[in-house]
Amino acid sequence: MSVPAGSTNARPAARRRRRRSGLPQVPWVWVLPALVLVLLLRYVATAAGGWYAFTDWNGISREAQFIGLDNFREILDNPASRGALENTIVLAVTFVVAANVIGLLLALALHRTLKTRILLRALFFAPVVMSSLAVSYIWQFIFSYTGPLNRFLDAVGLDSWQRAWTGDPTWALWTIFVVLVWQFAGLAMVMYLSGLAGIPEELDEAAAVDGASTLRRFRTITLPLLAPAFTVSVTLSLVYGLGVFDQVLALTGGGPVDASETLATQIYKQTFAFGRYGYGAALSLILTVLITAMALAQLAVLRYRERRI
Amino acid sequence: MAPVTFSNVSKTYPDGTRALVGFELDIADGELVVFVGPSGCGKTTALRMVAGLEEVTDGEIRIGDRVVNDLAPQDRDVAMVFQNYALYPHMSVFDNIAFPLRCQRVPKREIRERVQQAAALLGLEEQLGRRPRHLSGGQRQRVAMGRAIVRQPQVFLMDEPLSNLDAKLRVQMRSEITRLQEELGVTTIFVTHDQVEAMTMGDRIAVLRRGVLQQHGPPELLYDEPANLFVAEFIGSPAMNLFRGRLENDGSGLACAIGEQRVPLPEHTLARRLGLAAYADRELAVGIRPEHLLDARSSDPALPRLRGDVKFDEALPPERLVYATVEAPPVVTEDVLELAQDVDAAAVERLEELAQERFVLACARFDITASPPPRGPFEFAVAVDRLHFFDLETGAAIR
Amino acid sequence: MHRYTWRTLIRELALFALAALWWIPLYFLVTIALKPDLEALASPLSFPSQIELGNFGTAWTEGSLGRALANSVILTVGTVVLLVALGSLCAYTIARRAGAMSTTLYLLFVIGIILPFQLGLVPTYAALRELGLVGTYLGLILFYTGVWMPFSVFLYTGFARALPRDYEEAARVDGASQLRIFWRVVFPLLRPVTGTVAIFTGLIIWNDFFLALIFLSGTDNTPLPVAVYSFVAEFASRWNLVFAAVIVALLPALCFFVVAQRQLIRGFTGGIKT
């Protein structure tokens, strides 16, 4: 045995090797199936999609023509696509705020004390497990001209507010917003509840004995310690909101006159209905950049906070 | 700074558990009182009720002349040190200590001064900018203390603050807390399950068991005159030796029969325990502390003797603990079993086994300078004046 | 410190009111699905005067919901099995091998979680079409597996790394082969992650509409959401029939939720927190 005496790393490494010798190495072959799937379907496909975004490929012809930024120029010129981009951002941002505020409030209300909190949590969480396409039809009925919402407005004397909500250019987008929040708030609640459960009750008690009022305890103890839950919930809702599709298709179909198109519905329509694969890929690239940028920004904030705690 | 008064305080949880029953205690201004007892005895509940973290079911708690029953914790002007310190993980040491002052809207400059002062008092100046998770256990403990002392509250409440420290640090912090408390003169309630901690720290000790206050008083009183079997067993280490005995009148006066042996009780002993007269020809529990079982080879020949069979001894300078079996039925009452349970389940088993065999493993505390007693039959002298007697039914001391 | 006072009671009642509001859509869903055609049109909001279970029959046959249900089960189970089997095997290898290769692979999977699937969608679709896999279960199962595999590997690796080697060494001493050690010793120990992966991805795939619509619409292999979509296109505004179909589509997941509520929420947060 000739172990170089000067090397400080030599000894732990040797020990590690010896410790391992009892077990044969796990063969690399075992990673292959998963690896091949992910390499092909995620990496290669994404790279190819990035290339198609700059072509005019129609999905059928053997070759695709490189057309530079033409697709992107058209996205900005085409009212449907440009509207879709704007709608997606507006919808995602408002949805993230609303779903997280409601989810956080629900979590705070249902964290302790209430006798029926388990039941109530289940009631608010239930929509999360439902097919968002299927539940959207219930909401389409609620928002329909002869539906419950208008009847309710009539009953309380606000009949002038009545309208075909999903067919109204201004309101169509907001019906999607309502369904999104209704379905997602329960999930945000559960994430905040698990964040709250991770804060020792003692800290709250200590702060109370230290003389902090309820509001101050929430602001200086609960909220900062909830930061990780915030990041996760906000990131997840952002990704969900930016990719919204099912609700749009069921409630408005993107209408009226493209007023409620989103990037995902545009990708679907342009690619698979109109056969404009290159254009669809360009839309996908925009969506991908949006999602990645937002997710990375969130992740950076998380890391920053983690280092601080 | 203020006195704290418990008047007939009870706590019943919604599930019917009675955590505290008719608790009566006056704590004087500036006094350090230790609540001690096995787990589940109600000591922490009593403390948390003073803090306002538990509701008072019945009775009254007063801080100074204010009844605080319905006051929120933040309005009571008490400071508490938690068992796990409850340091705010997202704040620096400075911010942790400053927190109570910020809640009181103390001006910034004064906060800085007072935090510095507290930090200096606790030797934390170097740590002020760090976060709790980068501190050692002892440092965390000091930060928790700092947070308590910085605002000069009416009362300090300490919930087993030393239980997470290693043995050496615990002893050090024990004296440090006592010193701080004396310097600041703040009324303090200190909760612990460790009787050694209680004995060394408290001006006064209150022993609790199953929500009931057993006895309170200065440490020496509890040690020398335990009010009942429970306190006798709980206070003192090694614990008091307990035998099941019988009080017999052999014509020349009362004697205590322990197994086949008889320990005559002289007049002056009986005069100190007038209650004993009523127990003539009845069974009772006889207790004797290890230091009152003397080496017969070197003690007053007038003292009555007790024979035992020396099994082993532990040299623990400056003393030697000698363990010997004495043929006599042990005392196996509920109190004793509960205390054994607190040690471990095996202790209960051992106790029950011994009860079957009708032996007591007695402990005697000898001076290390005396030669160790030989294994086998040995005679102890009994400091008969220091015997304790208890009623077997009620456990109450016979006085 | 948290006492139950009359204010708490008010809070509790207020939350029940809010929960009732939250569940109003489901009230409409059930009552209307039980009404005959005329009543559903004339007085949709009232409680049904008679119960018409025929709507479910109509929806079931006209919407081919039986076939769709079977399709949903095949797609979900197929994907979850692949995610669990291939994911755990791969993660175990990464966790037990050290060195640059292992780190690189791990990073590759972690980045895969963040990378959105939408950009790869168009080329994948084209490629699977070339292979004749569009419209088949296999095509979509492969795509789902590719999308969720990084997540599965990530969760399994984190857990496997923390697993003590003692069990494997004991099994080795007992003479078990490597695959046997994995399958009989390691895999059962990974069960908490298996639960999380199965519940989290299972629910998402069960409810997926976007990818199923793209890959399977126009075939007989469509899962429940796509079947409901086609059904609605045909029976639009006959709400009693639409809602009967919606109920059939929602029921399996809801039943699962009622039965396994605790595990489900834990699976969800477990999947999200890491």
Side-chain angles (χ1 to χ4, degrees), chain B residues 227-398:
Chain B
N228 57 35
L229 263 177
F230 180 81
V231 177
E233 263 281 88
F234 189 73
I235 302 283
S237 173
M240 183 187 281
N241 300 303
L242 287 170
F243 309 93
R244 210 180 162 99
R246 197 181 157 79
L247 219 53
E248 287 174 351
N249 198 332
D250 60 356
S252 59
L254 282 175
C256 185
I258 295 173
E260 299 293 306
Q261 309 184 54
R262 294 164 55 81
V263 177
L265 304 178
E267 276 308 318
H268 56 93
T269 305
L270 289 169
R272 290 182 53 210
R273 308 264 186 230
L274 291 171
L276 275 178
Y279 282 81
D281 295 320
R282 284 173 63 188
E283 291 214 313
L284 38 60
V286 186
I288 182 153
R289 294 222 177 263
E291 59 270 34
H292 302 136
L293 271 181
L294 311 171
D295 189 341
R297 295 172 298 185
S298 60
S299 48
D300 182 354
L303 290 175
R305 303 291 143 138
L306 193 66
R307 283 186 310 279
D309 202 6
V310 173
K311 294 293 181 195
F312 59 95
D313 67 72
E314 292 169 352
L316 201 69
E319 61 192 33
R320 181 190 304 280
L321 298 178
V322 177
Y323 291 88
T325 49
V326 173
E327 208 180 332
V331 178
V332 189
T333 60
E334 238 183 294
D335 308 71
V336 178
L337 282 178
E338 187 184 331
L339 278 169
Q341 185 76 58
D342 226 41
V343 180
D344 65 299
V348 176
E349 238 166 69
R350 220 158 34 235
L351 217 80
E352 276 165 350
E353 247 166 55
L354 281 172
Q356 299 279 317
E357 292 176 19
R358 311 188 69 75
F359 277 110
V360 173
L361 185 63
C363 174
R365 198 191 294 260
F366 288 3
D367 197 322
I368 194 79
T369 52
S371 61
R375 302 280 177 280
F378 187 79
E379 271 200 341
F380 296 96
V382 179
V384 72
D385 270 351
R386 313 304 293 266
L387 283 176
H388 301 262
F389 301 94
F390 305 93
D391 187 296
L392 276 170
E393 297 284 311
T394 64
I398 301 165

Side-chain angles (χ1 to χ4, degrees), chain B residues 73-103:
Chain B
Q74 59 263 36
D75 303 324
R76 294 194 181 198
D77 196 18
V78 299
M80 182 157 166
V81 178
F82 289 73
Q83 186 169 5
N84 300 316
Y85 316 139
L87 301 183
Y88 310 123
H90 56 299
M91 297 183 195
S92 67
V93 169
F94 182 94
D95 289 332
N96 261 284
I97 299 177
F99 186 78
L101 300 178
R102 295 209 171 114
C103 292

Side-chain angles (χ1 to χ4, degrees), chain C residues 119-141:
Chain C
L119 190 52
L121 181 60
V122 173
T124 311
Y125 181 85
L128 289 177
R129 199 184 47 191
E130 290 291 304
L131 296 169
L133 287 175
V134 165
T136 66
Y137 297 130
L138 182 63
L140 186 53
I141 288 178

Side-chain angles (χ1 to χ4, degrees), chain C residues 14 49 68 71 106 130 175 183 202 205 217-218 234 237 244 248-249 251 265 271:
Chain C
S49 59
N71 293 337
Y106 182 66
E130 290 291 304
W183 184 238
I205 288 153
S217 67
E234 205 172 324
S237 64
V248 174
L251 220 48
I265 292 186

Side-chain angles (χ1 to χ4, degrees), chain B residues 99-254:
Chain B
F99 186 78
L101 300 178
R102 295 209 171 114
C103 292
Q104 294 177 329
R105 297 178 204 290
V106 173
K108 268 211 168 87
R109 261 191 50 196
E110 195 187 333
I111 290 184
R112 181 157 294 277
E113 266 165 34
R114 282 167 67 176
V115 172
Q116 294 287 3
Q117 245 171 27
L121 207 57
L122 292 159
L124 280 172
E125 295 105 318
E126 306 292 311
Q127 269 74 40
L128 281 176
R130 301 169 73 185
R131 293 200 183 249
R133 65 168 186 169
H134 298 301
L135 301 179
S136 69
Q139 289 170 332
R140 285 179 205 187
Q141 217 285 329
R142 282 164 209 268
V143 177
M145 287 294 299
R147 209 167 62 185
I149 62 174
V150 75
R151 49 187 263 239
Q152 297 141 9
Q154 304 245 17
V155 185
F156 281 152
L157 304 171
M158 305 197 185
D159 186 9
E160 310 222 11
L162 305 180
S163 61
N164 285 335
L165 301 179
D166 62 53
K168 199 172 167 193
L169 209 52
R170 189 157 35 198
V171 173
Q172 187 193 333
M173 284 310 291
R174 209 153 73 189
S175 51
E176 204 160 322
I177 290 178
T178 323
R179 170 182 68 85
L180 268 174
Q181 197 269 341
E182 258 165 39
E183 260 176 52
L184 301 166
V186 177
T187 315
T188 303
I189 304 178
F190 187 103
V191 162
T192 177
H193 64 269
D194 178 355
Q195 57 95 17
V196 178
E197 215 164 276
M199 295 293 280
T200 47
M201 293 185 69
D203 294 333
R204 211 145 48 102
I205 298 176
V207 182
L208 285 98
R209 177 193 173 227
R210 293 190 190 165
V212 179
L213 177 62
Q214 303 290 311
Q215 188 178 7
H216 64 91
E220 316 78 61
L221 178 77
L222 266 65
Y223 189 80
D224 293 337
E225 292 295 333
N228 57 35
L229 263 177
F230 180 81
V231 177
E233 263 281 88
F234 189 73
I235 302 283
S237 173
M240 183 187 281
N241 300 303
L242 287 170
F243 309 93
R244 210 180 162 99
R246 197 181 157 79
L247 219 53
E248 287 174 351
N249 198 332
D250 60 356
S252 59
L254 282 175

